[in-house]
Amino acid sequence: MKQDWFAKNYRNPQLARAEFERTLDVYDKVAEAKPLRLRIAKPMKVNNSTAYFERITDCINLRKLICNIRVDTEVLYYTGQALAELHSALNPQINCLDENISIHGDFSATNVLYMPSKNLIYIVDFAPYRYDNSESYSYAPAYRDLAHLVLTLEIKYPIYKIHLVARKKNREMSAMFWEGYENVIGRKIDRDKLYEFVIKEIDSTKKLFRKRHLLTRFVWTKVFDRTMQRYINLKES
Ligand SMILES: Nc1ncnc2c1ncn2[C@@H]1O[C@H](COP(=O)(O)OP(=O)(O)O)[C@@H](O)[C@H]1O
Ligand SMILES: [Mg+2]
């Protein structure tokens, strides 16, 4: 029988407790905000180096979904709406996208699950972004989460799916994601600021790729450079 909890193991009990407690705080604030699109898996208990969460069922991982040839971009719109609901729930006083607020911090497609039967979005993994040792990983402008998803939507495809990086659809997915966010947050995202953050995210992630397999590194470096250049041109246009 399939267990109704999801067990997540960590390197040590401190990390398990840190993520468990952060998720509990997020869960309570989101429950209070009564969002329409967003759901958080309920944290159940923590025991040594393992944290237990409510198991999410009947969902598709967004990363898996975008690796298909055909993608329904509506899901990206829902993802943007869910992220705006998360930011609003965590920061009820939010009035400007420039200020530092409590954000997700590692908003990549693997941490987004879509439930087709109810059109709901689960956001998971409220752990520190593993490449970022700074204390402020989850306290930054909303633009950070909005820019970070571009890495998965437009660049980091598995090597056996590398033909997908050239898809026009990838850019449409980013655009739909930002539109969904604007729809819920009720104001326009400053595109120049957003592109600045995208360029920053691409640049800092590119630097961390030295340890990858040679072929992956070669291909991804090209895609990193091309995507970054496109955003530089957009910013300057
Ligand atoms: N509560 C849950 N129920 C079901 N699946 C989950 C749950 N939380 C995460 N997952 C799945 O497990 C994967 C890894 O979990 P995640 O918390 O993101 O760990 P990691 O820190 O290793 O990225 C996610 O990408 C998601 O597909
Ligand atoms: Mg994850």
Side-chain angles (χ1 to χ4, degrees):
M1 199 185 78
K2 213 168 177 189
Q3 290 154 334
D4 59 2
W5 65 78
F6 174 81
K8 184 166 170 180
N9 296 312
Y10 301 80
R11 266 179 289 129
N12 59 56
Q14 288 77 14
L15 288 176
R17 182 152 293 279
E19 180 166 339
F20 181 82
E21 282 176 0
R22 182 170 178 222
T23 315
L24 203 55
D25 181 53
V26 171
Y27 179 85
D28 286 345
K29 287 177 173 150
V30 168
E32 199 178 321
K34 298 190 175 54
L36 296 175
R37 192 70 72 193
L38 169 69
R39 294 293 180 272
I40 306 290
K42 188 174 183 156
M44 292 163 78
K45 63 174 180 177
V46 58
N47 196 350
N48 294 322
S49 298
T50 308
Y52 298 84
F53 301 88
E54 161 200 357
R55 177 174 285 279
I56 304 162
T57 54
D58 307 318
C59 279
I60 312 164
N61 192 290
L62 182 62
R63 159 88 162 163
K64 201 166 166 201
L65 211 135
I66 62 166
C67 282
N68 288 322
I69 297 280
R70 263 180 278 281
V71 184
D72 181 1
T73 49
E74 202 71 17
V75 178
L76 275 303
Y77 191 84
Y78 299 154
T79 304
Q81 291 182 314
L83 182 66
E85 288 182 333
L86 178 72
H87 286 170
S88 307
L90 300 183
N91 310 275
Q93 309 300 334
I94 180 174
N95 51 32
C96 144
L97 297 184
D98 277 333
E99 64 189 313
N100 281 345
I101 58 164
S102 181
I103 59 165
H104 182 277
D106 183 15
F107 200 67
S108 60
T110 50
N111 294 331
V112 175
L113 298 147
Y114 169 57
M115 185 183 275
S117 59
K118 296 186 178 159
N119 282 336
L120 292 174
I121 298 287
Y122 277 83
I123 298 179
V124 300
D125 200 358
F126 289 88
Y129 181 36
R130 75 180 67 107
Y131 296 128
D132 185 345
N133 297 321
S134 72
E135 284 284 305
S136 60
Y137 70 91
S138 63
Y139 189 66
Y143 290 108
R144 230 325 272 278
D145 281 346
L146 288 164
H148 192 73
L149 193 65
V150 171
L151 295 174
T152 10
L153 297 181
E154 301 192 32
I155 302 173
K156 289 162 77 179
Y157 283 87
I159 201 76
Y160 61 95
K161 293 265 183 186
I162 207 67
H163 56 283
L164 295 178
V165 297
R167 273 190 309 192
K168 199 168 133 244
K169 191 109 201 159
N170 298 348
R171 279 168 257 164
E172 285 170 28
M173 290 196 283
S174 296
M176 281 294 267
F177 166 55
W178 295 326
E179 274 178 40
Y181 189 90
E182 287 173 326
N183 167 263
V184 164
I185 216 80
R187 70 185 69 111
K188 282 270 164 215
I189 302 167
D190 178 336
R191 289 296 190 272
D192 280 346
K193 223 358 117 44
L194 177 60
Y195 299 156
E196 214 174 277
F197 272 80
V198 171
I199 295 161
K200 219 159 45 183
E201 286 296 304
I202 296 177
D203 194 42
S204 56
T205 309
K206 199 183 126 178
K207 292 197 181 102
L208 298 159
F209 270 69
R210 293 190 196 105
K211 291 191 213 106
R212 296 279 172 157
H213 180 272
L214 197 67
L215 181 62
T216 313
R217 209 168 58 197
F218 177 74
V219 176
W220 277 0
T221 301
K222 286 221 167 321
V223 188
F224 271 121
D225 289 344
R226 204 190 55 194
T227 313
M228 186 147 84
Q229 192 55 52
R230 203 169 56 75
Y231 278 99
I232 291 170
N233 296 345
L234 275 173
K235 201 171 162 288
E236 286 167 0
S237 66

PDB file of all heavy atoms in Angstrom, residues 106 110-111 125 130, ligand 2:
ATOM      1  N   ASP A 106      13.906  28.954  -4.232  1.00  0.00           N
ATOM      2  CA  ASP A 106      14.400  27.950  -5.194  1.00  0.00           C
ATOM      3  C   ASP A 106      13.239  27.592  -6.123  1.00  0.00           C
ATOM      4  O   ASP A 106      12.832  26.441  -6.220  1.00  0.00           O
ATOM      5  CB  ASP A 106      14.910  26.710  -4.446  1.00  0.00           C
ATOM      6  CG  ASP A 106      15.503  25.665  -5.397  1.00  0.00           C
ATOM      7  OD1 ASP A 106      15.774  26.001  -6.569  1.00  0.00           O
ATOM      8  OD2 ASP A 106      15.684  24.512  -4.970  1.00  0.00           O
ATOM      9  N   THR A 110      10.903  21.791 -10.909  1.00  0.00           N
ATOM     10  CA  THR A 110      10.790  20.526 -10.144  1.00  0.00           C
ATOM     11  C   THR A 110      10.041  20.740  -8.830  1.00  0.00           C
ATOM     12  O   THR A 110       9.531  19.787  -8.255  1.00  0.00           O
ATOM     13  CB  THR A 110      12.169  19.910  -9.798  1.00  0.00           C
ATOM     14  OG1 THR A 110      12.969  20.926  -9.213  1.00  0.00           O
ATOM     15  CG2 THR A 110      12.850  19.317 -10.991  1.00  0.00           C
ATOM     16  N   ASN A 111       9.980  21.982  -8.377  1.00  0.00           N
ATOM     17  CA  ASN A 111       9.307  22.249  -7.104  1.00  0.00           C
ATOM     18  C   ASN A 111       7.859  22.700  -7.275  1.00  0.00           C
ATOM     19  O   ASN A 111       7.244  23.217  -6.346  1.00  0.00           O
ATOM     20  CB  ASN A 111      10.111  23.276  -6.304  1.00  0.00           C
ATOM     21  CG  ASN A 111      11.446  22.707  -5.885  1.00  0.00           C
ATOM     22  OD1 ASN A 111      11.571  21.496  -5.693  1.00  0.00           O
ATOM     23  ND2 ASN A 111      12.452  23.550  -5.748  1.00  0.00           N
ATOM     24  N   ASP A 125       9.255  22.168  -1.364  1.00  0.00           N
ATOM     25  CA  ASP A 125      10.704  22.374  -1.182  1.00  0.00           C
ATOM     26  C   ASP A 125      11.055  23.768  -0.678  1.00  0.00           C
ATOM     27  O   ASP A 125      11.662  24.570  -1.391  1.00  0.00           O
ATOM     28  CB  ASP A 125      11.428  22.079  -2.518  1.00  0.00           C
ATOM     29  CG  ASP A 125      12.908  21.799  -2.313  1.00  0.00           C
ATOM     30  OD1 ASP A 125      13.365  21.865  -1.159  1.00  0.00           O
ATOM     31  OD2 ASP A 125      13.588  21.512  -3.306  1.00  0.00           O
ATOM     32  N   ARG A 130      20.319  25.220  -2.735  1.00  0.00           N
ATOM     33  CA  ARG A 130      21.558  24.549  -2.356  1.00  0.00           C
ATOM     34  C   ARG A 130      22.841  25.192  -2.879  1.00  0.00           C
ATOM     35  O   ARG A 130      23.892  24.967  -2.353  1.00  0.00           O
ATOM     36  CB  ARG A 130      21.511  23.068  -2.747  1.00  0.00           C
ATOM     37  CG  ARG A 130      21.677  22.763  -4.216  1.00  0.00           C
ATOM     38  CD  ARG A 130      21.602  21.274  -4.424  1.00  0.00           C
ATOM     39  NE  ARG A 130      20.250  20.813  -4.118  1.00  0.00           N
ATOM     40  CZ  ARG A 130      19.380  20.427  -5.039  1.00  0.00           C
ATOM     41  NH1 ARG A 130      19.713  20.408  -6.283  1.00  0.00           N
ATOM     42  NH2 ARG A 130      18.169  20.045  -4.714  1.00  0.00           N
TER      43      ARG A 130
HETATM   44 MG    MG B   2      13.247  20.285  -5.073  1.00  0.00          MG
END
